[in-house]
Amino acid sequence: MNDWTQDVVGRLAEAREPAQVLTQISAAARSLGFEHCAYGLRVFVPFTRPETWMLSTYDERWNRRYMDAGYLEIDPTVVHGVRSREPLVWSDELFRGAARMWDEARSFGLRVGLAQSVFEADGRVGMLSLARSSEPLTSAEMRTKDPMLQWLVSAAHRAFCRCCGSSPLAGLEPLTSRQIEILRWTADGKTSDETAEILGLSKTTVNYHIRNIMIALRVNNKNSAVALASRLGILN
């Protein structure tokens, strides 16, 4: 760990509130040549109402416009970020399908940037975006700064997760190894009879475990149990 990372780690350790974390990440970003930063955390449970939490150093007028215009739903960096860990550099081509949003963002000095996500096993996804108003990102700059950028993305995610609420697994009763095994076979489309035969159990025992799984996960049927367990990484 070099002096720069040690300094950032020390400052983040003292941060207790999201705004304090943002201040320290912003300072680290500036040292890497970026004027602004933004962090978003998406929790995909419940399925119909995934929660997104965001904090940034962007102009507040842009933050309000972004939310009021519904840009969160069409932002190509978000579309990419919830599916991939690969870093994404902003470009005209990237924002071709959201040209109005791109024009407005640039009017607030957000012209050059990159974004990268971190995926948690429990279904949470955090994305850090770094931006500046000029000086395009060159291949040479990316090669030089990539280790520090990668480290900062992970450090920011850990620090914000510490301050921004608990895992969706919190409060759920842990499943036993047998319950997980049965749920995996259920996810593969096996019936209770088939699962019982595979595992050398009775159908009654399998159904008993399935009922307890539903209670532990707070769902009403086994299909919902499979879906939720899969989303939360329990079946991995």
Side-chain angles (χ1 to χ4, degrees), residues 40 51 69 80 88 92 113 115 117 157-158 197-198 233 235:
E51 298 180 6
H80 172 88
L88 185 68
D92 292 339
S117 294
H157 178 68
R158 290 194 301 271
E197 183 176 354
I198 292 168
L235 301 185

Side-chain angles (χ1 to χ4, degrees), residues 47-65:
F47 288 91
T48 54
R49 299 184 307 280
E51 298 180 6
T52 300
W53 180 90
M54 296 187 297
L55 194 65
S56 80
T57 63
Y58 299 158
D59 189 305
E60 279 304 315
R61 293 171 298 170
W62 167 243
N63 290 336
R64 288 193 298 271
R65 174 59 183 165

Side-chain angles (χ1 to χ4, degrees), residues 18 22 37-42 51-58 60 62-64 66-68 71-73 75 78 127 129 160 164:
L22 182 67
C37 65
Y39 176 81
L41 181 67
R42 178 164 290 186
E51 298 180 6
T52 300
W53 180 90
M54 296 187 297
L55 194 65
S56 80
T57 63
Y58 299 158
E60 279 304 315
W62 167 243
N63 290 336
R64 288 193 298 271
Y66 184 90
M67 298 306 298
D68 291 344
Y71 287 151
L72 178 64
E73 305 303 321
D75 187 339
V78 175
M127 186 174 77
S129 299
F160 278 115
C164 300

Side-chain angles (χ1 to χ4, degrees), residues 65-159:
R65 174 59 183 165
Y66 184 90
M67 298 306 298
D68 291 344
Y71 287 151
L72 178 64
E73 305 303 321
I74 64 169
D75 187 339
T77 67
V78 175
V79 173
H80 172 88
V82 297
R83 294 184 173 90
S84 175
R85 294 177 175 85
E86 289 297 314
L88 185 68
V89 176
W90 297 0
S91 68
D92 292 339
E93 177 64 24
L94 174 66
F95 288 96
R96 176 179 292 182
R100 182 173 181 179
M101 172 190 159
W102 183 223
D103 286 341
E104 292 186 31
R106 286 183 295 178
S107 74
F108 285 97
L110 305 176
R111 300 185 180 91
V112 178
L114 59 85
Q116 186 169 2
S117 294
V118 177
F119 289 71
E120 291 288 333
D122 60 18
R124 290 179 294 172
V125 179
M127 186 174 77
L128 181 67
S129 299
L130 305 177
R132 64 193 185 206
S133 58
S134 61
E135 298 181 24
L137 281 169
T138 65
S139 297
E141 181 181 5
M142 289 297 293
R143 285 195 300 271
T144 301
K145 296 180 179 178
D146 184 66
M148 291 178 287
L149 291 170
Q150 296 282 341
W151 181 87
L152 185 60
V153 169
S154 295
H157 178 68
R158 290 194 301 271

